[in-house]
Amino acid sequence: MAEPSRVRDLLGRQSAGGEVRVRGWLRSARHAKAVSFLDVSDGSCVGGVQVVGAPGLSNYEAEVRKLRTGCAVIAEGELVESPARGQRYEIQASRIEVVGWVGDDYPLQKKRHSFEFLREIAHLRPRTRSIGAVLRVRNAAAMAIHEFFQERGFMYLHTPIITTSDAEGAGEMFRVSTLDPASPPRTPAGEVDFTSDFFGKPAHLTVSGQLESEIGALALGDVYTFGPTFRAENSNTPRHLAEFWMVEPEMAFCDLRGNADLAESFLRGLIASVLERCPEELEFFDGLADGNLIDALRHIAESPFERLDYSEAVEILERSGQSFEFPVAWGNDLQSEHERYLSERHVGRPLIVTDYPKDIKAFYMYVNDDGRTVRAMDVLVPRVGEIIGGSQREDRAEVLERRITDCGLSPADYAWYLDLRRHGSVPHAGFGLGFERAVQLITGLANIRDVAPFPRVPGYADF
Ligand code: 4AD
Ligand code: MG
């Protein structure tokens, strides 16, 4: 009996011939007079392989003719040149084993389903061409990210998921607690007594691995973390998830410019790598995007990013003559519409905006000599807007402590973080790439819920 093959390998063969075996699920089944055409897909590539069944099969009438979309089969037979259009090979089956039937209510059919509908069946949608392709792109992108950093000597550091520090100081964290929510222990003042909670103090899911990455960088030089992060912000947008993956490099002896240079080569390299690793998937997404995707990605991979400081960006927006929904003024944060205008309309490619007002950025960013801006940077890309956020970190203990206090946070909560500035402090910098936003950019999909296998958003954490 032939060893099982992946459909991708079969379709990539130099020539037909030989006995083969495939295992997968039917994308479609068409039963004609005395012949059945089964489109078997196994998740290894966008397309399936056509298996042709004929009455010679022992179970042809009893089983094969009853096969429908969604059934699981193992098929064996000869790999032959296909007379049909659009496929090189097909399998003339000598045996078809039905491994799993489908119920009458199987929701996937041969036609194209809307992404909205597919979100409701996240347990079955990986079997579709589109979500299967998304998952393969995620896989390839994740591997490309590790290779990028490993090749440059960065060490992969595993930062914690449960934390007692708010890395962004924005209070958008999910609590982790084993206290009984119905009757938590109380302090004499009537507040919840977290000293008797599991960790002896309030604990949360991390919003970013940055603070611990800084510990790593200040000992190992260049490190990166790549893991899940969580934000309890009530944002119902096509670009926000409550759980998303972030890639966060952190470099010792590095300033904002070095950081921006790394961000640019990282993002361009990532896109080039996925273009190379997933040509078939990107052709597929290019089709969904009316042919506008691959050229746009090549353009990003090949052209240098524009760089602007925040004040210049605000002037450009003010002079743009656009009527934005959110007002543009020095001191206001850039909104997605502004980010997209700058990237799509003003420069026509990605750009890096630096030196934002300190009042709209996190406590840990290095304060510039002007006293009102910080060494922050955001990388903005067409269609998605902000894809990377980063900064040079404040490495002066006194300045950092003042910033923590000014931001309404308590230096006591950041004692170890301040300590790092008192013992062998060096200039250092890093950034975070939102992995799902990168996958949105690469696939061209409009909604972030379609590039996360199991999206978590306000009001929804099924599957
Ligand atoms: O700009 P952010 O908040 O930066 C940080 O968390 C820093 N601590 C990173 C660092 O310097 N090490 O988030 C970084 C990126 C954003 O640019 C965006 O791409 C993504 O993470 N991101 C989200 N992606 C999906 N859903 C959300 N709710 C996101 N919030 C941020
Ligand atoms: Mg940001």
Side-chain angles (χ1 to χ4, degrees):
M1 213 196 296
E3 284 294 307
S5 301
R6 301 303 306 261
V7 170
R8 175 196 167 93
D9 298 332
L10 285 184
L11 297 180
R13 284 198 183 179
Q14 291 297 326
S15 57
E19 287 295 307
V20 297
R21 175 149 60 122
V22 289
R23 307 180 292 189
W25 295 265
L26 302 191
R27 284 260 172 75
S28 66
R30 188 162 62 82
H31 302 289
K33 203 162 165 246
V35 62
S36 296
F37 300 99
L38 312 175
D39 181 10
V40 178
S41 125
D42 64 359
S44 60
C45 55
V46 174
V49 65
Q50 174 161 285
V51 171
V52 183
L57 295 166
S58 60
N59 60 345
Y60 186 69
E61 286 301 330
E63 293 191 323
V64 173
R65 285 196 75 83
K66 295 180 184 146
L67 285 169
R68 297 193 285 131
T69 300
C71 289
V73 301
I74 298 176
E76 283 170 33
E78 198 186 347
L79 189 70
V80 300
E81 306 270 349
S82 177
R85 251 167 35 100
Q87 58 193 21
R88 251 179 106 189
Y89 306 128
E90 61 185 31
I91 298 173
Q92 289 290 345
S94 53
R95 192 176 86 91
I96 294 175
E97 179 189 340
V98 183
V99 183
W101 293 100
V102 286
D104 289 338
D105 54 348
Y106 187 67
L108 292 172
Q109 298 307 327
K110 191 182 170 171
K111 63 170 187 161
R112 183 176 288 174
H113 297 283
S114 73
F115 282 106
E116 288 78 8
F117 171 70
L118 293 178
R119 277 174 224 148
E120 295 166 17
I121 50 165
H123 58 313
L124 297 169
R125 69 175 186 165
R127 296 186 194 175
T128 62
R129 293 202 299 167
S130 51
I131 303 299
V134 164
L135 298 181
R136 285 188 301 280
V137 165
R138 282 184 72 102
N139 172 65
M143 288 303 109
I145 286 166
H146 282 295
E147 272 175 33
F148 178 90
F149 288 114
Q150 294 292 326
E151 280 166 6
R152 286 164 181 75
F154 283 66
M155 212 165 318
Y156 181 25
L157 178 72
H158 303 94
T159 52
I161 306 283
I162 298 175
T163 177
T164 55
S165 319
D166 181 352
E168 292 299 304
E172 291 171 332
M173 301 202 292
F174 290 101
R175 186 179 295 289
V176 177
S177 171
T178 52
L179 294 181
D180 177 1
S183 60
R186 302 266 173 195
T187 62
E191 287 174 343
V192 175
D193 180 10
F194 287 104
T195 58
S196 48
D197 200 352
F198 191 92
F199 297 105
K201 54 167 136 169
H204 299 88
L205 295 177
T206 193
V207 294
S208 156
Q210 177 195 322
L211 304 193
E212 291 87 356
S213 291
E214 290 183 50
I215 297 178
L218 293 179
L220 304 171
D222 295 342
V223 300
Y224 69 106
T225 180
F226 182 9
T229 51
F230 307 86
R231 303 226 172 155
E233 53 184 335
N234 198 6
S235 300
N236 255 306
T237 82
R239 275 174 286 277
H240 286 87
L241 291 169
E243 173 178 319
F244 61 98
W245 282 61
M246 214 196 304
V247 184
E248 296 180 272
E250 190 72 31
M251 293 164 287
F253 306 101
C254 182
D255 60 10
L256 186 62
R257 176 190 283 263
N259 200 24
D261 289 345
L262 182 80
E264 175 170 341
S265 51
F266 171 55
L267 190 56
R268 289 171 59 186
L270 176 60
I271 289 170
S273 231
V274 178
L275 278 166
E276 197 183 306
R277 290 166 199 235
C278 296
E280 197 204 13
E281 283 75 15
L282 292 185
E283 281 295 336
F284 171 77
F285 289 120
D286 195 56
L288 293 188
D290 297 328
N292 291 319
L293 182 67
I294 292 182
D295 286 346
L297 291 177
R298 287 213 182 98
H299 180 59
I300 296 177
E302 285 159 15
S303 15
F305 293 0
E306 180 76 33
R307 301 195 188 191
L308 291 178
D309 70 31
Y310 167 88
S311 303
E312 291 172 296
V314 168
E315 278 171 31
I316 289 163
L317 291 167
E318 282 172 340
R319 276 191 272 113
S320 71
Q322 298 285 309
S323 59
F324 293 113
E325 189 189 337
F326 293 90
V328 175
W330 201 98
N332 291 356
D333 206 357
L334 300 183
Q335 302 295 324
S336 166
E337 56 176 343
H338 309 134
E339 296 171 342
R340 291 186 56 179
Y341 174 84
L342 289 169
S343 172
E344 289 166 20
R345 309 276 301 281
H346 186 70
V347 298
R349 60 180 198 280
L351 74 157
I352 306 181
V353 179
T354 59
D355 301 288
Y356 284 72
K358 72 174 195 291
D359 293 340
I360 56 170
K361 289 290 183 188
F363 68 89
Y364 50 70
M365 298 187 182
Y366 190 99
V367 181
N368 279 317
D369 292 344
D370 64 12
R372 56 181 210 148
T373 60
V374 287
R375 292 191 191 162
M377 63 170 204
D378 277 3
V379 179
L380 314 180
V381 297
R383 287 189 282 108
V384 173
E386 179 193 340
I387 195 164
I388 285 176
S391 61
Q392 181 176 334
R393 318 308 186 186
E394 184 53 77
D395 56 282
R396 299 162 295 184
E398 343 62 73
V399 183
L400 179 61
E401 183 159 353
R402 214 176 313 126
R403 278 288 288 153
I404 290 176
T405 311
D406 289 351
C407 289
L409 303 165
S410 156
D413 289 343
Y414 294 93
W416 61 260
Y417 191 68
L418 283 161
D419 224 28
L420 283 178
R421 276 67 185 168
R422 300 196 301 114
H423 306 303
S425 187
V426 300
H428 60 289
F431 62 81
L433 166 83
F435 184 61
E436 281 74 15
R437 291 199 188 168
V439 179
Q440 269 192 284
L441 177 69
I442 293 169
T443 58
L445 294 188
N447 197 311
I448 199 164
R449 296 166 201 216
D450 302 322
V451 301
F454 306 105
R456 272 81 182 93
V457 293
Y460 194 82
D462 287 1
F463 304 98

